[in-house]
Amino acid sequence: MIRRIRTVALLAAGAALTLAATACGGAADSTAGARDGFTQAPQSDGPLTVWVDSTRLPAAQLYQKQHPAVKMDIVTYDGDANGSNYLQTKVSLFNRTGNGWPDVVFSSQNNEATWAVTAKFAAPLNKGLLPQSLLDGWARNANQPCTVDGTVYCLRNDLAQTVLWYDATLMAQWGYQVPTTWEQYEALGKKVAAEHPGYLVGAAGDTFTPEIYLWASKCGANHITGPKAVTVNTTSPACTRMASLLDSLIAARSMSPGSVFSSDFDKNEADKILMMPGPSWYGGSLFQGTFKTPKGRIAVAPTPQWSDDPSPAVGNVGGGTWLLSAHSAHLKAATDFLTWVTTSDDYQGKVAVGYPAYAPAAKTWLAAQTAAGYYANDITAPLQAAAGQVWPDWGYGQFSQEAIWAATVTPGLTAGKSLVSMLPAWQQAIADYAHSDGYQVTR
């Protein structure tokens, strides 16, 4: 059930009144018209309604604290976690009834923009609402999921670019070099299997395995070419060589076929990790949080690259987006909140749990991670580099790649089938899911 937190600020005199007029759009404006790339609703002085998930609730509360003159209605919901489609369902209802739309919404999904445009919910942001100089501050390709036919309809909250996490203590103790190529990574994985049985260089049992490994390999399994168009090719060399690499390390038993989020992995394998390719949030969430790996052991290196490919590429596992409603009657206040929540050092740099998509805030966030002293090396350079290397030809369709992988590949992997042998079935499943969501599929 949605839980409402309504905060009605007491307006101070003088400067506070001026701030309120600025933030909330001044006196009520009953006019409406086509500006900034869309037809705007009549503006009013009512409270700014913001929908957030529980993780982003502190952001809305901090904004309220710093802007006491702004009347706010803060609503918590599931953030569309795990593809719940709650937001889509509610927007469809609001579209039918003609009222109820929130002003600003956070979504944990990176694929909200396409349906939000079709449903005429999301306002365009690069047609006058936000200056291009501000939009240029996001990491390279960070707002790609928010862009439809050249128009930006949301802002990326955080990134989940992949890097190589490794145990610096074991790496030095055993005299190993951190691999810079996938060929070196595979060779080291086999060496570890022979010399230190039971230790791992990765895990392939999670539903986002394709986003960590196959995306980074430039496998064209999910190339979104239009609002309702996708190209799917899972049997190209870029796909088969990474699948072969994973198969070889699973067979050698240095690549776990299990999930890093399972209790079995936590109990039996978490203390056996030499290396682990994964997103930027693995450091705090997995190693420092779930696994409780001691301070000073975990370090970060760039994601390995194929030796014959001069253009670095990494994958991405997660992130989130902020959307501004085209129906908002409080556009000035909504735009101010949207800008603050995605760029403010006070939130993104100092409070946010994930790597900020806005590059200047990411510098503050990285400085805080370094100051905490948990990692064995300075994580700044590899994470900053990876933020601009997410391969752009793996898109964000309305169908869930995680659900497809879980239904098509995971059962076969559990049964002992090779990933290479399942690539054609994976391609067919992607095409079927995409067709069911109305996509034109090219293979």
Side-chain angles (χ1 to χ4, degrees), residues 189-219:
K190 292 179 178 179
K191 188 177 181 68
V192 168
E195 297 180 353
H196 302 281
Y199 280 84
L200 303 173
V201 298
D206 292 298
T207 57
F208 43 72
T209 292
E211 296 165 340
I212 294 175
Y213 295 98
L214 292 157
W215 190 338
S217 186
K218 301 182 181 179
C219 172

Side-chain angles (χ1 to χ4, degrees), residues 38 43 53 68 156 338 349 373 398 406 441:
F38 68 108
Q43 301 296 289
D53 65 352
R156 192 78 171 273
L338 181 73
Q398 289 179 250
V441 179

Side-chain angles (χ1 to χ4, degrees), residues 13-247:
L17 285 171
T18 301
L19 174 60
T22 302
C24 294
D29 178 6
S30 61
T31 62
R35 289 177 294 183
D36 303 323
F38 68 108
T39 300
Q40 299 180 5
Q43 301 296 289
S44 70
D45 284 334
L48 177 69
T49 300
V50 176
W51 282 20
V52 293
D53 65 352
S54 59
T55 304
R56 256 53 57 167
L57 178 58
Q61 292 174 326
L62 180 59
Y63 180 85
Q64 176 71 98
K65 181 179 180 180
Q66 293 189 356
H67 302 80
V70 180
K71 300 176 183 179
M72 293 186 71
D73 187 4
I74 302 171
V75 181
T76 60
Y77 82 118
D78 68 359
D80 264 358
N82 300 314
S84 74
N85 291 330
Y86 186 91
L87 180 60
Q88 296 185 38
T89 301
K90 297 301 288 186
V91 167
S92 294
L93 173 63
F94 300 150
N95 284 350
R96 292 196 300 271
T97 60
N99 63 79
W101 303 280
D103 295 293
V104 181
V105 174
F106 172 81
S107 171
S108 63
Q109 305 300 299
N110 291 326
N111 60 0
E112 300 284 27
T114 51
W115 77 260
V117 171
T118 302
K120 298 183 179 179
F121 171 70
L125 303 177
N126 62 337
K127 301 296 184 180
L129 285 182
L130 297 178
Q132 189 60 43
S133 58
L134 176 70
L135 295 171
D136 288 341
W138 266 257
R140 179 172 173 259
N141 294 325
N143 282 328
Q144 180 191 357
C146 294
T147 305
V148 178
D149 292 335
T151 299
V152 179
Y153 287 96
C154 61
L155 294 178
R156 192 78 171 273
N157 178 76
D158 58 307
L159 300 180
Q161 69 275 35
T162 57
V163 290
L164 181 64
W165 300 93
Y166 66 95
D167 188 319
T169 301
L170 288 179
M171 197 71 75
Q173 180 181 327
W174 295 343
Y176 294 152
Q177 297 294 315
V178 178
T180 59
T181 69
W182 285 118
E183 291 90 346
Q184 292 172 357
Y185 173 86
E186 182 177 13
L188 182 54
K190 292 179 178 179
K191 188 177 181 68
V192 168
E195 297 180 353
H196 302 281
Y199 280 84
L200 303 173
V201 298
D206 292 298
T207 57
F208 43 72
T209 292
E211 296 165 340
I212 294 175
Y213 295 98
L214 292 157
W215 190 338
S217 186
K218 301 182 181 179
C219 172
N222 196 43
H223 187 194
I224 305 297
T225 57
K228 283 291 184 178
V230 60
T231 297
V232 183
N233 180 5
T234 69
T235 58
S236 70
C239 304
T240 56
R241 66 179 177 178
M242 180 56 77
S244 295
L245 180 152
L246 295 175
D247 283 337

